[in-house]
Amino acid sequence: IVQELSSNCIKYAKAKNIRLHIQADDEKITLSYSDDGVGTSLTGERVTKGIGLKNIESRTILMDGEVTMQSAPGQGFACTVTIPLQNNTNV
């Protein structure tokens, strides 16, 4: 997931700064990513998520996790992935 986020940033975002925070406790791993790139619209008629964003979602779902993505043109991109550790054999 981190590789996909980094790759997307390099290819598309034109970001000057990336923030990546990974936190773990006994129950979950939380990955928070944000950049100050060009951003994109995640809603609307013309939006189709690229294969990279779909890969992030599918990998997160495979591990019974949750993903949220926020972006808007000119506003950068942010993503939070939370993956539970309890009874998760896919991590």
Side-chain angles (χ1 to χ4, degrees), residues 6-58:
S6 300
S7 178
N8 281 352
C9 183
I10 291 166
K11 288 180 185 178
Y12 308 113
K14 301 177 186 171
K16 292 182 181 176
N17 298 288
I18 296 172
R19 285 195 172 153
L20 181 65
H21 182 79
I22 300 172
Q23 182 174 337
D25 59 32
D26 291 340
E27 297 178 11
K28 65 187 178 304
I29 295 174
T30 303
L31 173 126
S32 300
Y33 168 95
S34 64
D35 68 44
D36 62 356
V38 297
T40 187
S41 176
L42 296 174
T43 60
E45 289 180 19
R46 298 182 56 212
V47 175
T48 56
K49 287 185 182 172
I51 200 83
L53 297 182
K54 288 179 184 177
N55 283 341
I56 291 168
E57 287 179 333
S58 64

Side-chain angles (χ1 to χ4, degrees), residues 65-82:
E66 295 180 7
V67 61
T68 59
M69 297 180 192
Q70 297 175 321
S71 188
Q75 301 295 314
F77 179 82
C79 179
T80 302
V81 175
T82 304

